[in-house]
Amino acid sequence: MNMIEEIEGGITTPQGFKAAGVHSGVKYRALDLGMVYSDVPASAFVGYTSNDVKSAPVQVMMKENSPKLSAVVINSGNANALTGRRGVEDAIAMKQAVAKELNIDPIEVGVMSTGLIGRFVDLHKIRYGINRAVRALDLGREADSLFAEAIMTTDTIKKEFSVRTRLEDGTLVYIAAVSKGSGMISPHMKVLHGTTLSVVTTDANLSIDFRSKWQEILDDSLNMVSVDGDQSTNDTSILMANGKAGGKYADEDPEFIAALEMVMTKIAKTIAKDGEGATKLIEVQVTGADTKEDARKAVHKILNSPLVKSAIYGSDPNYGRIMMALGNSGCKFNIEDVRLTIKGGDLEVPILDMGAPVFQEERSVEVVRMAMDNTEVSILIDLAYGKESAVGWGCDLTYDYVRINAEYAS
Amino acid sequence: MNMIEEIEGGITTPQGFKAAGVHSGVKYRALDLGMVYSDVPASAFVGYTSNDVKSAPVQVMMKENSPKLSAVVINSGNANALTGRRGVEDAIAMKQAVAKELNIDPIEVGVMSTGLIGRFVDLHKIRYGINRAVRALDLGREADSLFAEAIMTTDTIKKEFSVRTRLEDGTLVYIAAVSKGSGMISPHMKVLHGTTLSVVTTDANLSIDFRSKWQEILDDSLNMVSVDGDQSTNDTSILMANGKAGGKYADEDPEFIAALEMVMTKIAKTIAKDGEGATKLIEVQVTGADTKEDARKAVHKILNSPLVKSAIYGSDPNYGRIMMALGNSGCKFNIEDVRLTIKGGDLEVPILDMGAPVFQEERSVEVVRMAMDNTEVSILIDLAYGKESAVGWGCDLTYDYVRINAEYAS
């Protein structure tokens, strides 16, 4: 029995959270500064980019590694990345400004940035925005919406998702996630691609030990999304749990875990679907792998292959490319045992068996093409080697991807 | 003093080699079967794809691992990959057919294939082609040219290069290399991309110990080429040294090594330049790395980044993407010490210093764009961390790449 209920809601749906989205002036007209605030300090669990070139806000937050956050400020329009020592000072100044306005300790303030790289932030504008945001903090659908808008860049789909569920002890808890991620074109220079910023709020009660579980959930959701295999300098995912719902620690509550996984998987798929220039969502599922790591490697290699991605864009039944990508992944398998199936719409076409294609006729190839000619295409690989599996999401490689990323935007 | 002289020549330029290129019928009209033959068994050094999904010919040759080859047969139009046990039997049958016609031992016959994957080869046609090729074996520029044509697929540039040099003991030796690589569109289905087949002939004398040196040279040349990071199932590079020039073993002769490196570097750059849809050659040079492996990892990650590649296509001065790719490479560095320079035409523009951009003004950004607006763009990164370096070649990501690889070609 699944008790998880999807609801119409956003970042302030869980009890005790407020949010705002304002215009600070970093962008020309659009909302460019968002803030989330919890009435009481919330247990915070944060995942960061593993890129060795980390933006200033990521560096600052990783160093502080604060177990509690009361507020998170996010500016869009400037990534504060590749900004050296001054960038770090600016990120700290942003935290201090928020802390002062909210009368809280700076260590309880999270900071994220997305936008132009290699430019210093205009602290004057940011401080003005912070002042406005603090006064605008509110709850409800309008606040949700302004916040979600303020952190968006070239996103074309609103990435907001909300559920409620009942814990084993009867406590009703809410979880909401807002995310941005697809890419960004600024008036002058484009940002590093695909920065993913996510804020997840919940009124459930979580202990500090939930950190490792949060990592696991990220590894199965956001970390399995790949638009182009290029990991941003700014990626950050924050989970804030303020315990306002009451009840016991939900750390190991199966309903809570399932609900959080559901929210994060939904967000992950939405980000993949909204990849730059994408026309199709690609899901890759690898089963029967020797290790979890093997399964993930295989999924990533297939999702990142420009040849696989462009074949799917053109509904070109070139399944050999999928096998080539698998062969390059370093994942263990015996080719004679591998089964490959392509799914799209109502069609589920077996392709490979005993290391050779199931068919050799033109007519069968046409069926593969028909399966690929859907907006959601699944690639299923059973390695029949071990017991581990992984699933991930990506998108096709299109003319628009090249256009978006090649255009000189000045 | 450099004694290496580039000459007009091809696969039969070194003494004792003959070649042919014929039409077997696997392709509709074009030449599709090439053969190289050495009067005397030649010492053979072979590099294979490290993809775990290997074509049948690669499997067969790796298993035999023959130290001497007298002939190599190459068919284009069918890759004999993903063809299971039957494919292996077919590859062996090809070797046997050549051996019989030439009256040599099958172990002295090399075999390579490129073309459609997942289809069984038509042995009847291939045998007919082999019979024709043996009778057509000849030396001279016409034979060179027919051979080079027979192994080409969608290649748009002829990849043939020839030099002569004098060894320390006074022996005059010739080296010639012919290569194919860019991608292929067949009438029915496209092949795995970018299969690189190379045959290098030389009349120098090499001992079996030269194997490790050949690996080193491949690692610095062909293995540093990346069109899309997708490694084919069929890649094979054969060096045949028949010793016809006489003289001592050239294994450690500095002139010979330098000449071979020059030939292979030239071939590597030509393949990169002819990448599918490419308009620009990108050279990435990483110096000051901790280890050679680190330097290579960084070069590959930058060359394979779709964001870097599409930025260079559009001459978009988005150098942050280069740093992002570097940060994702796993290569060791301290961001404060990294220097990044972009070169194109007469311009050499310093970009990054002390972890932040050298400039913040629009006008300077324009200079970067001008440097990128050339058909050859170099990215120079000095990590100032260690003493190792690497250089590699790739190409930009263009609309044409997507078109070539997305088109359903039936």
Side-chain angles (χ1 to χ4, degrees), chain A residues 19-23 31-35 133 136 143 146-150:
Chain A
V22 301
H23 174 65
L31 300 187
D32 57 14
L33 192 136
M35 192 179 288
L146 290 171
F147 173 78
E149 197 184 322

Side-chain angles (χ1 to χ4, degrees), chain A residues 21-54:
Chain A
V22 301
H23 174 65
S24 74
V26 169
K27 286 187 186 173
Y28 178 55
R29 286 190 60 174
L31 300 187
D32 57 14
L33 192 136
M35 192 179 288
V36 186
Y37 174 70
S38 172
D39 288 351
V40 295
S43 297
F45 309 91
V46 194
Y48 303 101
T49 180
S50 56
N51 194 315
D52 289 330
V53 177
K54 295 184 203 306

Side-chain angles (χ1 to χ4, degrees), chain B residues 286-302:
Chain B
V286 171
T287 54
D290 187 31
T291 63
K292 191 90 186 159
E293 200 201 331
D294 261 21
R296 285 183 179 144
K297 273 196 290 194
V299 168
H300 276 297
K301 200 77 187 177
I302 295 166

Side-chain angles (χ1 to χ4, degrees), chain A residues 83-290:
Chain A
T83 44
R85 198 163 296 186
R86 178 165 155 192
V88 169
E89 285 161 12
D90 289 345
I92 292 170
M94 283 175 70
K95 284 163 56 79
Q96 284 167 338
V98 174
K100 198 178 161 197
E101 296 272 354
L102 287 168
N103 200 24
I104 55 177
D105 192 318
I107 198 134
E108 285 176 13
V109 181
V111 58
M112 304 191 213
S113 299
T114 177
L116 286 177
I117 49 94
R119 302 293 176 93
F120 300 123
V121 296
D122 185 334
L123 270 186
H124 183 73
K125 290 176 178 168
I126 296 276
R127 284 203 180 97
Y128 165 74
I130 287 170
N131 178 282
R132 284 189 68 179
V134 167
R135 282 180 296 162
L137 283 172
D138 202 357
L139 49 82
R141 295 301 285 141
E142 198 190 334
D144 291 345
S145 171
L146 290 171
F147 173 78
E149 197 184 322
I151 68 168
M152 271 169 75
T153 52
T154 47
D155 302 61
T156 67
I157 309 175
K158 198 165 143 191
K159 298 172 187 77
E160 190 187 51
F161 194 67
S162 189
V163 299
R164 72 174 156 216
T165 192
R166 223 171 258 287
L167 305 186
E168 280 181 331
D169 67 3
T171 315
L172 184 69
V173 298
Y174 287 83
I175 305 173
V178 178
S179 188
K180 71 129 306 218
S182 110
M184 168 177 166
I185 300 169
S186 87
H188 293 294
M189 194 187 288
K190 281 163 284 161
V191 81
L192 290 169
H193 173 87
T195 291
T196 304
L197 301 182
S198 305
V199 183
V200 184
T201 52
T202 179
D203 45 21
N205 211 353
L206 292 176
S207 84
I208 191 155
D209 297 335
F210 195 71
R211 275 193 179 173
S212 60
K213 188 72 197 170
W214 180 236
Q215 184 62 53
E216 260 179 54
I217 292 175
L218 286 178
D219 282 344
D220 279 332
S221 58
L222 285 178
N223 291 348
M224 291 308 290
V225 173
S226 185
V227 169
D228 47 23
D230 281 337
Q231 185 184 207
S232 156
T233 50
N234 288 54
D235 290 342
T236 310
S237 308
I238 298 187
L239 167 64
M240 294 172 82
N242 68 6
K244 279 270 187 170
K248 294 188 295 187
Y249 280 135
D251 293 35
E252 289 173 10
D253 189 287
E255 281 301 319
F256 177 75
I257 305 273
L260 189 56
E261 282 171 346
M262 180 180 165
V263 168
M264 295 312 291
T265 303
K266 181 87 180 184
I267 288 285
K269 286 175 84 162
T270 314
I271 289 172
K273 203 168 185 163
D274 197 25
E276 287 179 325
T279 68
K280 295 180 186 181
L281 173 69
I282 304 173
E283 179 170 290
V284 176
Q285 199 181 96
V286 170
T287 55
D290 187 32

Side-chain angles (χ1 to χ4, degrees), chain A residues 51-52 82 118 190 193 230-231 305 307 314 316-318 320-321 324 327-328 357 360 366 399 403 405-406 408, chain B residues 51-52 82 118 190 192-193 230-231 305 307 310 314 316-318 320-321 324 327-328 357 360 399 403 405-406 408:
Chain A
N51 194 315
D52 289 330
L82 283 188
K190 281 163 284 161
H193 173 87
D230 281 337
Q231 185 184 207
S305 161
L307 288 173
D316 174 8
N318 201 332
R321 292 179 179 174
M324 170 225 48
N328 278 327
Q360 292 273 332
E366 192 59 22
Y399 294 113
R403 184 185 55 72
N405 287 298
Y408 180 59
Chain B
N51 193 313
D52 289 330
L82 283 189
K190 281 164 283 159
L192 292 168
H193 173 86
D230 282 338
Q231 184 184 208
S305 160
L307 289 172
S310 47
D316 174 8
N318 200 330
R321 292 179 179 174
M324 169 225 47
N328 278 327
Q360 292 272 333
Y399 294 113
R403 183 185 55 74
N405 287 299
Y408 180 58

Side-chain angles (χ1 to χ4, degrees), chain B residues 18 30 35 45 57 125 128 146 154 156 161 231 247 269 300 304 335:
Chain B
K18 288 186 184 134
M35 192 179 290
F45 309 92
K125 290 177 178 169
Y128 164 73
L146 290 171
T154 47
T156 67
F161 194 66
Q231 184 184 208
K269 287 174 82 162
H300 276 297
N304 287 338
I335 183 86

Side-chain angles (χ1 to χ4, degrees), chain B residues 43 68 167 169 204-208 246-253:
Chain B
S43 297
K68 293 274 182 185
L167 305 186
D169 67 2
N205 211 354
L206 293 176
S207 84
I208 192 154
K248 294 187 295 185
Y249 282 136
D251 294 36
E252 290 173 11
D253 188 286

